[in-house]
Amino acid sequence: MTDEEPNAIFRNEAETLVETLEERLLRLEATPGDADLIDAVFRDLHTLKGSGAMFGRHDVANFLHGFETAFEAVREGRAKVNEQLIAISLAAKDHIANLLSKPGADGGDAILNQLAVYLEGTPQTPQDSRLWHLTFKLAPDTLALGGRPEAIIDDLRSLGFRDIRALLGDVPPLSKIDPERLYISWEAWIDRDIGRDEILTAFLFHEDGLELTLAPPIEEATARDLEDPKPDSTRSPANGRGGALMRVPAERLDEMMDRVGELVIAEARLREAAARIGESGLSSIVEDISRLTSGMRETTMSVRMTPISAITGRFRRLAHDLAGKLGRHFDFVIEGEKTELDKTVVERLAEPLMHIIRNAADHGLEDPSLRSAAGKPATGTIRLEARYAGAEVLISLSDDGRGLDREAIRMRAVERGLIASSATLSDEEIFGLIFEPGFSTAAEVTDLSGRGVGMDVVRRTIDELRGTVEVSSEPGYGTSVSLRLPLTLAIIDGLLVDLAGERFVLPLAAVLEIVELPAEHGHPTSRNAFLDIRDTLVPFLRLRDLLESPGEPAPFQKVIVVSSADGRVGLVVDRIIGSNQTVIKQLSPLHSGLKLFSGATILGDGGVALILDIPQLVHRGRCLAERAQEAA
Amino acid sequence: MTIHPEDTDGNVDLVTFRLGGEICAVPASQLREVLEPVAMMRVPGAAEFVAGLINVRGTVVPLSDLRVPLGMPREPAGEHARIMVMDIPVSGQSCVVGILADAVHEVTRLDPEKCEQVPTVGARWPQRFVSAVGRWKGDLVTLPDLATIFEDFLDGFDGRTTLTGARRATKIQEPERA
């Protein structure tokens, strides 16, 4: 064994720990009283110190000792978590990362000094944000008598109450609910001493049967949590990770996925061959192989699935740093961090999302004074949301800033010769211009953005991931960038369909149901393009038209109802062949411009089928329908 | 790769094939294999030049018809028709493409001395799509410039052409230099 090896192991481990440390510090900034989090930070530091010493990295160990001491004080309640501590800690974290790449790097003493000063001089600030707590319950017959609880809530809000929440504890099971009876009570908070009479003005005509309590502020709530730590025995196990983990080089996972892809195709060929031979002993073996293959596929995919949280730590840090550079605070909210995507997709998303966040903070959010003048909260919000939508993941990044300036974009596009000055463009087309290479409307280039590099990177990366980008914006209310991404780049469950003897695959995850096309719609010339499915009108598209299929439709066409961004849409096909595991093969550059297809696949009989991109298909269908209407 | 007669010190291995009544040749080094005709999946909306996809040993390969850019008459495939699977440089990376041929003849050595630049007048084909002409068994052999043919196709096809062939209204320019 050479000296290199243990060092590489140490660095690898340490880098992971440093990353989690950063993420925890940033979370701690948001919830300074979280004792578990403080413990976790302490443990990270302790582990790092221990392994640093073990691998002979005394520079790392010594620095961490000082850092750890500070957090010990926090853990024991002798010091409090505040922005200052987090800022010093983040700098300390950066220094550790620095030490890891450059042994003996300078700068540690200054940081340890700052920490020491902080520990000695922590001002025992009284709680500023004392909150009065209100709970109320209206008479159960309020609704029956025509009362409107929402009006009361509005009144309370105008009195200064905030965080108004419904308490649903008394709501009975659905079968026992009396729709005219009010089961809900509410709670709310206010940061001033408000008299009971003043509150009662909100409950005019609702005093009968009103139950109302107003509790004074709890003294030093967070401090008490800190000073009275729960005994260690009740906490989660030391590493909090649950189960043994193993680090595997990413290329091996990619290789494994390729092998599974080949296995799936070979399995389909085997099944076809067995069906031709028709021997029962063989068939049962084929059944086993099929089951194992699909199990293998699931496992391999799940190994590759990575939650978005793997990259959000970087975004929190970016937001923190941006706030510092821009000199204005904003809230950065992340929702749906547990949403999982293929590891490759998650990794490649980091860069485009950082660009969007930077743009939102720099161009989107206004200065507090401007915001206040516009009647908005002085602190802006940038929100990152991730959620599943059918076979896709929807990631949206929105800000509540000034919104995109249509006219400025237009003028800049005319200047650059991208559009004619007389062109009339829809919002969609105008917002699409910001993705052009080198496009920027920023009057001056700042340190952060405005060079016009960025949004074209966003579009290119998302295209390469077979996703789509959409921008929506409302002047004065903010901008939202939505990314739609496929869950995986490798294998999907597909539904194989037949159109004029040609086969196509639809992602099964988007399929809701399959119905027969009613005879009256059988002929392509029938005017209306809606189906009545259980009393709801569902628009449908004839794939024969969209895919320019030759010949006449089969007599009993089927409608595959899929979920799309515009709701349910039916897709008419000649015949359903069945479900199959679809190994996605990328189209070559010669065909990758055709947006209707997200790839191709090889079938059990050796034939090729194209994989349909449902959002694009629906979009194209809508365009065709609009054109047909204009022509009519 | 195109043939540059002046930069080779020996003979070049070429594969001769028949296409639209003409004899053509491509470098043997770019040829992977020759296949009997196989079932092609039509790609709706694709240009005639690359109208479909075929399965070549588990990979999906586009099938292209050189008769379209070269402006040759297109006849139905005869009994000698073959598909040449070739490595062609497309936008900076090697791309596997199937190319239709009416017949594939043989691998031959062509003396670079006898290869000529394409005459500027009297050429039946778009001049830029032909890298050289030579002689083989008394016949005129044309060496199509595959790289240029495919690059040209991609340039004209900006990836946003719709099924109905309508081009995007806005024109995209090169990014400005800061």
Side-chain angles (χ1 to χ4, degrees):
Chain A
M1 193 191 272
T2 64
D3 282 356
E4 293 300 320
E5 273 180 51
N7 253 327
I9 296 170
F10 165 64
R11 268 189 62 176
N12 204 343
E13 244 183 50
E15 275 160 12
T16 319
L17 272 169
V18 167
E19 249 169 61
T20 46
L21 175 64
E22 174 171 58
E23 191 228 307
R24 289 193 170 129
L25 284 172
L26 290 162
R27 269 189 12 225
L28 197 56
E29 184 174 30
T31 52
D34 190 332
D36 285 345
L37 210 49
I38 293 169
D39 267 10
V41 170
F42 184 76
R43 274 196 313 267
D44 286 347
L45 295 175
H46 196 74
T47 316
L48 263 170
K49 182 176 93 171
S51 53
M54 198 166 88
F55 285 96
R57 292 293 305 272
H58 296 292
D59 52 343
V60 176
N62 286 340
F63 177 74
L64 274 157
H65 179 72
F67 196 177
E68 188 188 11
T69 311
F71 264 85
E72 196 166 19
V74 173
R75 191 161 80 139
E76 288 167 359
R78 284 185 283 121
K80 264 193 229 163
V81 177
N82 63 14
E83 279 178 31
Q84 195 191 351
L85 177 67
I86 298 289
I88 306 173
S89 303
L90 284 172
K93 174 251 137 194
D94 288 347
H95 182 65
I96 301 170
N98 206 4
L99 277 177
L100 289 174
S101 53
K102 272 186 289 177
D106 297 340
D109 291 346
I111 295 168
L112 291 181
N113 245 340
Q114 283 179 2
L115 276 172
V117 169
Y118 173 77
L119 286 183
E120 280 158 22
T122 308
Q124 294 296 314
T125 44
Q127 282 290 101
D128 285 326
S129 49
R130 296 170 174 219
L131 293 178
W132 293 71
H133 185 216
L134 171 79
T135 52
F136 67 91
K137 192 170 165 68
L138 297 169
D141 59 358
T142 303
L143 295 177
L145 296 175
R148 290 172 53 232
E150 65 269 28
I152 297 172
I153 288 166
D154 283 344
D155 286 348
L156 285 174
R157 201 171 281 133
S158 60
L159 284 174
F161 280 95
R162 53 195 167 93
D163 296 334
I164 304 172
R165 279 200 309 151
L167 302 171
L168 304 174
D170 295 338
V171 179
L174 197 57
S175 56
K176 295 199 179 117
I177 281 187
D178 171 358
E180 292 203 327
R181 199 177 157 86
L182 183 65
Y183 300 98
I184 306 167
S185 50
W186 283 267
E187 68 172 347
W189 303 82
I190 192 165
D191 54 6
R192 64 190 173 101
D193 186 359
I194 186 168
R196 195 181 168 86
D197 290 346
E198 196 181 341
I199 293 178
L200 282 177
T201 58
F203 293 93
L204 207 59
F205 306 122
H206 288 287
E207 293 94 338
D208 288 348
L210 175 70
E211 292 170 32
L212 185 141
T213 55
L214 185 65
I218 305 158
E219 292 294 328
E220 304 279 325
T222 47
R224 197 182 50 190
D225 285 349
L226 279 179
E227 282 155 12
D228 181 25
K230 289 167 269 174
D232 267 347
S233 59
T234 62
R235 308 229 175 136
S236 50
N239 59 15
R241 286 175 198 166
L245 295 180
M246 195 175 132
R247 296 169 67 83
V248 177
E251 312 88 75
R252 287 200 203 159
L253 288 182
D254 295 342
E255 220 172 277
M256 194 164 144
M257 196 72 232
D258 288 347
R259 294 272 182 283
V260 171
E262 287 169 35
L263 181 65
V264 166
I265 293 174
E267 181 259 331
R269 281 172 47 206
L270 177 65
R271 193 148 27 124
E272 293 249 353
R276 270 201 308 276
I277 295 165
E279 208 265 318
S280 69
L282 181 60
S283 305
S284 80
I285 298 173
V286 171
E287 280 307 308
D288 282 352
I289 299 274
S290 296
R291 193 170 42 76
L292 291 169
T293 311
S294 91
M296 185 77 205
R297 192 201 76 166
E298 299 267 306
T299 315
T300 313
M301 302 256 285
S302 72
V303 167
R304 292 175 58 90
M305 292 310 253
T306 312
I308 306 267
S309 58
I311 50 170
T312 47
R314 273 179 254 180
F315 302 154
R316 287 205 177 85
R317 179 66 191 269
L318 175 72
H320 177 93
D321 291 353
L322 281 172
K325 273 191 196 158
L326 294 167
R328 54 173 183 246
H329 268 275
F330 60 86
D331 292 329
F332 182 56
V333 186
I334 303 183
E335 279 168 33
E337 261 185 291
K338 289 198 176 128
T339 312
E340 290 187 332
L341 277 157
D342 189 274
K343 131 188 128 38
T344 323
V345 182
V346 171
E347 281 161 9
R348 301 210 40 204
L349 269 181
E351 198 194 349
L353 284 174
M354 304 241 302
H355 277 303
I356 305 174
I357 294 170
R358 220 174 274 139
N359 268 335
D362 197 15
H363 300 316
L365 297 179
E366 317 90 324
D367 284 326
S369 53
L370 275 174
R371 293 182 61 90
S372 304
K376 295 201 265 192
T379 311
T381 303
I382 295 180
R383 184 179 295 272
L384 176 68
E385 273 174 282
R387 63 183 171 86
Y388 296 105
E392 296 176 312
V393 166
L394 192 68
I395 297 177
S396 69
L397 209 135
S398 45
D399 65 64
D400 62 350
R402 55 170 73 89
L404 291 175
D405 186 340
R406 283 175 184 69
E407 214 30 55
I409 295 173
R410 211 194 126 81
M411 274 165 58
R412 188 86 183 95
V414 171
E415 254 172 60
R416 293 273 316 271
L418 294 172
I419 54 168
S421 55
S422 58
T424 40
L425 297 179
S426 66
D427 279 0
E428 201 183 324
E429 286 165 319
I430 288 195
F431 296 151
L433 290 167
I434 65 169
F435 293 108
E436 296 302 343
F439 194 90
S440 174
T441 59
E444 55 191 281
V445 171
T446 69
D447 184 23
L448 304 170
S449 49
R451 288 181 200 281
V453 185
M455 289 314 266
D456 62 318
V457 174
V458 172
R459 161 106 102 200
R460 206 172 51 234
T461 314
I462 303 303
D463 275 356
E464 281 166 13
L465 294 172
R466 298 205 334 269
T468 57
V469 198
E470 252 174 59
V471 179
S472 61
S473 180
E474 204 52 56
Y477 289 95
T479 307
S480 168
V481 181
S482 308
L483 312 177
R484 277 178 175 275
L485 293 152
L487 275 177
T488 170
L489 297 172
I491 306 184
I492 55 164
D493 274 313
L495 183 69
L496 195 60
V497 301
D498 180 329
L499 277 144
E502 295 173 330
R503 289 168 295 180
F504 295 90
V505 176
L506 289 153
L508 197 58
V511 175
L512 300 173
E513 61 181 316
I514 299 172
V515 297
E516 194 142 319
L517 185 70
E520 72 260 29
H521 291 299
H523 204 265
T525 53
S526 65
R527 297 293 298 175
N528 82 46
F530 286 96
L531 282 182
D532 186 351
I533 297 179
R534 291 186 296 278
D535 295 331
T536 338
L537 285 182
V538 176
F540 68 85
L541 301 167
R542 293 176 198 278
L543 289 192
R544 282 190 146 269
D545 298 346
L546 284 166
L547 301 172
E548 299 167 345
S549 306
E552 284 298 305
F556 302 103
Q557 298 178 78
K558 302 288 184 293
V559 184
I560 301 167
V561 181
V562 296
S563 63
S564 80
D566 304 337
R568 292 194 294 169
V569 176
L571 303 173
V572 181
V573 300
D574 282 3
R575 192 165 68 89
I576 310 278
I577 299 171
S579 65
N580 86 330
Q581 293 186 48
T582 307
V583 181
I584 302 175
K585 306 267 182 188
Q586 301 272 15
L587 292 176
S588 74
L590 301 175
H591 288 126
S592 56
L594 297 166
K595 297 289 179 204
L596 285 190
F597 313 109
S598 52
T601 191
I602 291 181
L603 302 171
D605 63 1
V608 177
L610 285 160
I611 303 165
L612 296 172
D613 185 320
I614 291 180
Q616 291 289 341
L617 211 59
V618 171
H619 179 75
R620 178 70 52 79
R622 209 177 46 199
C623 292
L624 285 183
E626 277 166 14
R627 211 172 302 160
Q629 259 176 8
E630 277 168 25
Chain B
M1 193 185 99
T2 57
I3 296 298
H4 299 290
E6 65 280 6
D7 66 13
T8 41
D9 50 11
N11 291 346
V12 186
D13 278 334
L14 292 174
V15 184
T16 53
F17 61 99
R18 188 159 53 81
L19 189 68
E22 309 263 349
I23 303 293
C24 298
V26 286
S29 61
Q30 280 179 270
L31 183 69
R32 287 190 159 201
E33 59 185 310
V34 177
L35 301 176
E36 302 263 329
V38 294
M40 179 193 87
M41 171 71 196
R42 177 185 70 96
V43 179
E48 247 186 317
F49 172 47
V50 282
L53 297 172
I54 53 169
N55 168 9
V56 180
R57 298 181 203 289
T59 48
V60 176
V61 169
L63 185 62
S64 69
D65 189 342
L66 292 179
R67 289 174 296 192
V68 178
L70 296 176
M72 292 173 165
R74 299 172 69 192
E75 285 151 27
E79 58 167 325
H80 298 295
R82 295 289 183 275
I83 294 168
M84 300 192 295
V85 182
M86 305 194 59
D87 283 312
I88 292 172
V90 176
S91 15
Q93 61 190 53
S94 182
C95 186
V96 181
V97 178
I99 288 179
L100 287 169
D102 291 332
V104 176
H105 297 306
E106 60 173 34
V107 175
T108 185
R109 299 211 135 189
L110 216 61
D111 185 352
E113 299 292 312
K114 290 185 184 154
C115 283
E116 296 158 28
Q117 294 298 328
V118 191
T120 46
V121 286
R124 256 174 301 171
W125 300 349
Q127 191 200 335
R128 50 189 279 99
F129 288 160
V130 178
S131 57
V133 288
R135 296 227 162 247
W136 176 70
K137 290 183 179 170
D139 282 321
L140 193 69
V141 186
T142 308
L143 281 66
D145 186 343
L146 297 179
T148 308
I149 292 174
F150 280 91
E151 291 295 340
D152 258 36
F153 169 72
L154 281 181
D155 286 348
F157 186 86
D158 62 5
R160 294 167 208 272
T161 309
T162 64
L163 258 186
T164 49
R167 285 283 158 83
R168 226 160 58 116
T170 55
K171 185 169 148 261
I172 311 305
Q173 287 188 337
E174 286 293 301
E176 279 173 5
R177 303 247 176 256

